[in-house]
């Protein structure tokens, strides 16, 4: 994203940013079904170790992309990471109920969601620093490969549990397995609804994260480090919201916080759109101290923080309910089906955002659409 926005620029930069998100998420739609079956059929710890070993190769592709400043190579790396993440997702969430009692699931999910967004935070800060002044490919490459190796090393410490469904026959036809999983999810109305609820969170989160860099750069005139500051605010706020969502659940499976959080998300998205409506595109790039001398910067930052905190509250009870209600021998496949649903929502959202940006719909209107969607979702929930 930083390479596209600050080094390549061009009229299609914002659409390319949205496309990058879609390319990363696309494998979740096709491969989550296969990943769920494999996670139930085989030991989840062993599966995690093999996937994290393969991730070292994807990291090598990313290093080559940054070294060459090549968007196609980086898109290939993104797709590779997406494939591995799609297969890893059912393991990551399916392993929690195997290791923990029900009352600990909300807190465990809060830790997973919080850690996920803090990882995004650290990565984006590193990306902003790396792209400043042309970047340093050797340092960036060492960081990427170093973290990939550390990921694999940490996977070796996951305790083995044995397969949940040792007699399951894995269907390697990814289209048929995905269709079967979604059919099974649809058959259980309660699980289907919680799946849609988690998908709403990921759609809004993915769209907001894709709109944030163009908003800060093009409309508000911030440098790469200002974008990193805003992404930090967003990530830390999701972690705070996740912790608050766990506190509200207090060890129970309760969904009342979800629609309330959705309405709060709608409020902050609407205020964000109103805050930037009518602003002229920035004429000069502002560093962090200069940027925050403007009152609009603080308003936008508070709106992003409020939206993200509400998002954290939204997701934790939703996912805890889905994990708890899923049958034990089908838990990974249920989570895989929800991942497919999440991916479908995110890919469609990213593609629609890219299309409407290409057609000329401005950022304030886009945040207004997010607000309307969040409000309608809360009513449905």
């Amino acid at each position: 994203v930083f390479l596209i926005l600050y080094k390549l620029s061009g009229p299609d930069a914002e659409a390319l940013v949205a496309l990058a998100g879609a390319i990363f998420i696309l494998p979740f739609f096709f491969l989550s079904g296969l990943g769920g079956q494999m996670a139930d059929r085989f030991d989840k710890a062993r599966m995690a170790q093999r996937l994290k070993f393969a991730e070292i190769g994807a990291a090598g592709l990313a290093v080559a992309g940054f070294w060459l400043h090549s968007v196609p190579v980086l898109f290939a790396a993104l797709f590779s990471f997406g494939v591995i993440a799609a297969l890893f997702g059912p393991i990551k969430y399916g392993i929690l109920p195997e290791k923990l009692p029900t009352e600990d699931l909300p807190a465990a999910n809060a830790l997973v969601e919080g850690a996920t967004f803090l990882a995004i935070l650290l990565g984006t800060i590193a990306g902003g620093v790396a792209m400043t002044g042309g970047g340093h490919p050797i340092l960036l490459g060492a960081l990427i490969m170093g973290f990939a190796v550390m990921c694999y090393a940490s996977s070796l410490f996951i305790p083995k549990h044995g397969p949940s469904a040792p007699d399951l026959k894995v269907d390697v036809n990814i289209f048929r397995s995905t269709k079967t999983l979604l059919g099974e999810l649809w058959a259980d109305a309660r699980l289907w609804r919680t799946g849609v609820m988690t998908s709403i969170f990921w759609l809004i989160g993915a769209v907001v994260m894709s709109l944030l860099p163009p908003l800060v750069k093009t409309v508000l005139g911030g440098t790469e480090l200002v974008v990193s500051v805003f992404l930090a605010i967003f990530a830390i706020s999701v972690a705070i919201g996740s912790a608050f969502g766990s506190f509200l659940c207090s060890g129970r499976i309760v969904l009342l916080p979800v629609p309330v959080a959705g309405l709060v998300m709608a409020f902050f998205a609407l205020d964000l759109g109103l805050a930037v409506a009518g602003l002229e595109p920035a004429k000069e790039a502002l560093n962090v101290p200069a940027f925050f001398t403007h009152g609009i910067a603080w308003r936008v930052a508070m709106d992003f923080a409020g939206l993200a905190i509400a998002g954290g509250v939204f997701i934790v009870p939703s996912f805890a309910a889905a994990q708890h209600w899923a049958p034990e021998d089908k838990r990974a496949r249920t989570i895989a089906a929800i991942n497919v649903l999440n991916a479908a929502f995110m890919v469609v959202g990213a593609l629609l955002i890219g299309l409407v940006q290409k057609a000329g719909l401005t950022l304030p209107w886009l945040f207004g659409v997010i607000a309307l969607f969040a409000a309608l979702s809360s009513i449905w929930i």
Side-chain angles (χ1 to χ4, degrees):
V1 167
F2 283 117
L3 187 68
I4 291 167
L5 279 179
Y6 287 93
K7 297 292 171 249
L8 306 179
S9 299
D12 296 327
E14 292 183 10
L16 276 175
V17 170
L19 182 62
I23 284 176
F24 176 71
I25 297 302
L26 193 61
F28 283 81
F29 188 72
F30 295 108
L31 295 176
S32 290
L34 179 64
Q37 291 185 12
M38 292 172 69
D40 278 336
R41 171 63 182 84
F42 304 107
D43 182 83
K44 293 179 179 63
R46 190 176 297 277
M47 283 287 301
Q49 290 156 11
R50 290 176 178 176
L51 287 170
K52 289 299 161 185
F53 183 75
E55 203 168 59
I56 296 173
L61 194 59
V63 170
F66 282 116
W67 185 274
L68 299 171
H69 279 196
S70 168
V71 171
V73 174
L74 284 170
F75 271 21
L78 264 183
F79 184 78
S80 302
F81 277 113
V83 167
I84 293 166
L87 298 175
F88 184 69
I91 298 169
K92 180 171 80 166
Y93 289 106
I95 205 168
L96 293 180
E98 289 182 356
K99 309 292 184 187
L100 299 169
T102 300
E103 59 268 20
D104 287 343
L105 280 180
N109 276 288
L111 286 170
V112 170
E113 298 298 343
T116 297
F117 277 87
L118 288 174
I120 292 170
L121 159 64
L122 294 174
T124 47
I125 289 174
V129 173
M131 288 298 107
T132 301
H136 199 303
I138 294 176
L139 177 61
L140 184 61
L143 279 172
I144 293 172
M145 292 302 295
F147 277 110
V149 171
M150 281 170 24
C151 271
Y152 172 65
S154 62
S155 73
L156 299 176
F157 292 90
I158 302 174
K160 291 179 173 57
H161 184 83
S164 301
D167 299 324
L168 176 68
K169 184 178 180 181
V170 176
D171 187 354
V172 295
N173 184 321
I174 58 175
F175 300 102
R176 186 170 57 212
S177 62
T178 299
K179 181 182 176 183
T180 300
L181 279 185
L182 287 174
E184 292 175 354
L185 188 67
W186 173 261
D188 189 321
R190 189 167 61 167
L191 283 174
W192 175 263
R193 287 171 187 159
T194 53
V196 173
M197 286 158 57
T198 63
S199 299
I200 289 167
F201 164 80
W202 284 108
L203 184 150
I204 293 175
V207 168
V208 169
M209 292 280 280
S210 71
L211 295 180
L212 195 156
L215 173 68
V216 173
K217 174 186 182 287
T218 307
V219 178
L220 301 176
T223 61
E224 298 98 323
L225 291 180
V226 176
V227 176
S228 292
V229 169
F230 271 82
L231 288 168
I233 291 168
F234 193 82
I236 292 170
S237 298
V238 170
I240 292 169
S242 297
F244 188 51
S246 172
F247 169 77
L248 291 175
C249 290
S250 300
R252 300 164 297 160
I253 303 301
V254 54
L255 294 177
L256 180 61
V258 181
V260 177
L263 290 175
V264 175
M265 290 167 71
F267 169 80
F268 282 110
L270 180 61
D271 190 66
L272 193 51
L274 293 172
V276 298
L279 289 180
E280 293 293 326
K283 293 182 174 59
E284 59 176 331
L286 302 172
N287 60 22
V288 175
F291 185 86
F292 281 98
T293 59
H294 300 283
I296 187 66
W298 290 98
R299 181 177 172 183
V300 170
M302 286 189 288
D303 282 336
F304 268 117
L307 201 160
I309 289 170
V313 174
F314 189 100
I315 187 61
V316 166
S318 305
F319 224 122
Q323 288 170 317
H324 178 65
W325 290 335
E328 184 177 354
D329 61 337
K330 294 182 178 179
R331 187 171 284 133
R333 277 168 287 168
T334 300
I335 291 167
I338 291 173
N339 285 348
V340 172
L341 208 57
N342 294 348
F345 272 64
M346 283 192 282
V347 169
V348 170
L351 290 176
L352 285 176
I353 289 296
L355 286 173
V356 296
Q357 283 178 314
K358 188 78 172 167
L361 196 66
T362 58
L363 287 169
W365 281 104
L366 290 173
F367 284 112
V369 170
I370 293 169
L372 179 63
F373 177 74
L376 292 175
S377 298
S378 293
I379 294 168
W380 173 79
I381 292 167

